[in-house]
């Protein structure tokens, strides 16, 4: 069955790689992104009345999934089970009982808060928050969130019933704290004009979810790097405490 | 951008045509359907742990949309605006501010109650309720509903903020009431073993939503036909009251 999908938009996100991208939408409310609507879909009237909605569904393509790519016959390459991080990475569930990117049709489903719809440099953008997509994700559909149909507060959900608690407390080293101040004031354009507190908040939101791979043996004091905006954010973890070591701007 | 979509399942629904299919999932709770998982996806382990969830997301292809079809370049055929029935069919909103099937990538998004997962005649079925898909819809993905990420009870929603109220009261003619009893007892297999009350409930749920096209001039006493299971259900509307006239079984 060959259905041609049209890319209607592209996701611009501070998360430049899969590592540390929140595993569902809404988990890092401070994480904002811009959905750039592409031609020929970038017409104001196609979004008429969308600004009345507080939230939108965004369907994308997991272009960095293990079974990514155009024209790939994924009937051969799919896996029947996956190991959700929520189960510690050592228990398997069916791929259709998970939201894993590695699925027969790698379509992502996210609900974002809609902040603004605006035209900048003649391009149409939707500004959103609570994002969980890596930078560059192709977007294939945008739909309004309909509270009466989509919100099911009493839904029961097996192994992922409750909102994940922050796994780690996050502190900044003296160096990292200074860099938060210096970099946001020295390179505002490369950090989307965030101020020091906003940058710190995003870093805390991402690291407290514990982005480390669940299935690997975790060694204390091992260092991890997180690519955010133009930054490489380095941190280490000791027991349940993460320490942000440094923020290096990439050339 | 050509991404090959694999049909992982097919929807079996009592609704045999677009007319009278509920416009969102959950609006007709009595409406059940069966999702038949297709080979090679019909493996028990691919659904392991899904039975712990009360609700599932079902992504399908609007195969009867106006811009339907495989390998169609919908960059040419899409419309920027649509006329939602909720606005009386005479006001336009952007296609991305609607859940209209006629959209650049005709992907449907529904949340169904998961009733059962079982194997019958060596086929794997998910039994669901609250369906809003026409019989035969190709299914491209199934994901668990995650309450903590997907349920936003305080979402605000422009022109469709509240659950649609039943638009019509529904009564049965003497003939139709008798036919509900006779047909369910005489042809149980063709009516999925529903009893008289269950069949009546589904008919009421579908007609009270007022499936008549909003944009057409409505004439009282005009008759409408609704294809449900093997039945043609005829009804008429006078002011806010619908009368079910007859239930004819198709040969």
């Amino acid at each position: 069955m060959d259905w041609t999908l049209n890319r209607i938009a592209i996701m611009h996100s501070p998360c430049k790689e899969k590592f540390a991208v929140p595993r569902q939408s809404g988990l890092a409310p401070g994480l904002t992104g811009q959905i750039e609507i592409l031609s020929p879909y970038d017409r104001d009237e196609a979004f008429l009345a969308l600004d009345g909605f507080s939230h939108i569904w965004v369907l994308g393509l997991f272009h960095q999934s293990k079974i990514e790519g155009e024209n790939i016959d994924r009937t051969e390459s799919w896996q029947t089970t996956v190991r959700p991080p929520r189960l510690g990475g050592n228990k398997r569930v069916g791929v259709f009982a998970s939201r894993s990117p590695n699925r027969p049709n790698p379509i992502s489903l996210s609900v974002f808060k809609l902040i603004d719809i605006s035209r900048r440099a003649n391009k149409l953008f939707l500004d959103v928050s609570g994002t969980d997509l890596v930078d560059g994700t192709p977007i294939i559909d945008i739909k309004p969130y309909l509270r009466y149909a989509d919100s099911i507060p009493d839904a029961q959900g097996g192994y992922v019933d409750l909102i994940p608690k922050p796994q780690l407390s996050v502190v900044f080293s003296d160096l990292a704290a200074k860099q938060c101040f210096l970099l946001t004031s020295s390179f505002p354009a490369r950090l989307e004009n965030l101020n020091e507190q906003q940058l710190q908040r995003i870093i805390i939101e991402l690291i407290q979810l514990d982005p480390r791979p669940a299935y690997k043996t975790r060694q204390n004091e091992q260092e991890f790097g997180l690519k955010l905006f133009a930054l490489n954010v380095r941190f280490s973890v000791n027991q349940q405490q993460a320490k942000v070591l440094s923020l290096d701007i990439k050339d």
Side-chain angles (χ1 to χ4, degrees), chain A:
Chain A
M1 190 175 65
D2 289 352
W3 281 64
T4 301
L5 292 177
N6 298 306
R7 189 175 62 162
I8 65 156
I10 189 159
M11 183 78 203
H12 297 291
S13 160
C15 298
K16 303 303 177 189
E17 58 179 359
K18 280 191 291 179
F19 181 71
V21 175
R23 289 186 177 114
Q24 300 301 330
S25 48
L27 290 182
L31 199 64
T32 58
Q34 296 81 41
I35 299 173
E36 177 189 344
I37 311 300
L38 300 174
S39 174
Y41 307 102
D42 56 342
R43 291 175 57 181
D44 293 329
E45 62 267 35
F47 297 87
L48 186 67
L50 187 63
D51 61 358
F53 292 87
S54 63
H55 292 76
I56 54 173
W57 288 113
V58 176
L59 276 66
L61 289 168
F62 287 118
H63 66 307
Q64 293 191 5
S65 81
K66 288 178 193 159
I67 49 178
E68 66 176 314
E70 303 175 5
N71 292 321
I72 286 178
D73 183 359
R74 287 175 297 265
T75 54
E76 297 296 328
S77 58
W78 71 298
Q79 287 194 306
T80 53
T81 59
V82 296
R83 297 176 297 186
R86 288 293 292 275
L87 294 176
N90 50 24
K91 199 180 158 194
R92 290 192 169 272
V93 304
V95 66
F96 297 118
S98 85
R99 302 276 277 251
S100 165
N102 301 311
R103 54 201 313 113
N105 292 307
I107 297 176
S108 66
L109 177 63
S110 312
V111 55
F112 296 158
K113 195 166 183 185
L114 179 61
I115 308 293
D116 190 32
I117 304 176
S118 66
R119 203 167 270 283
R120 301 193 285 269
N122 207 28
K123 288 182 174 177
L124 187 60
F125 288 95
L126 311 188
D127 291 324
V128 293
S129 70
T131 65
D132 64 343
L133 294 174
V134 72
D135 191 48
T137 298
I139 305 301
I140 55 172
D141 205 1
I142 291 164
K143 301 178 195 278
Y145 186 94
L146 306 184
R147 180 177 56 171
Y148 77 83
D150 301 328
S151 184
I152 305 176
D154 60 347
Q156 296 297 308
Y159 64 93
V160 280
D161 207 21
L162 298 173
I163 189 159
K165 288 187 193 135
Q167 296 294 306
L168 304 173
S169 64
V170 182
V171 296
F172 283 70
S173 70
D174 288 346
L175 173 65
K178 277 181 202 158
Q179 288 173 318
C180 271
F181 170 73
L182 286 171
L183 295 174
T184 50
S185 46
S186 305
F187 302 96
R190 300 190 68 177
L191 295 168
E192 292 183 15
N193 296 308
L194 295 181
N195 65 30
E196 178 188 5
Q197 286 74 30
Q198 290 168 323
L199 178 59
Q200 283 193 357
R201 180 185 167 194
I202 293 176
I203 292 172
I204 291 171
E205 283 182 353
L206 292 180
I207 295 179
Q208 71 182 0
L209 294 169
D210 195 354
R212 295 174 299 165
Y215 53 86
K216 287 190 184 161
T217 307
R218 292 172 172 178
Q219 299 175 324
N220 280 332
E221 303 302 341
Q222 184 185 350
E223 285 189 23
F224 298 89
L226 154 59
K227 292 197 172 43
L228 189 70
F229 302 105
L231 300 173
N232 184 23
V233 179
R234 295 204 66 79
F235 68 97
S236 65
V237 181
N238 193 337
Q239 306 295 336
Q240 297 309 305
Q241 187 172 79
K243 186 173 196 174
V244 183
L245 304 172
S246 65
L247 285 61
D248 300 313
I249 204 154
K250 287 177 285 184
D251 292 324

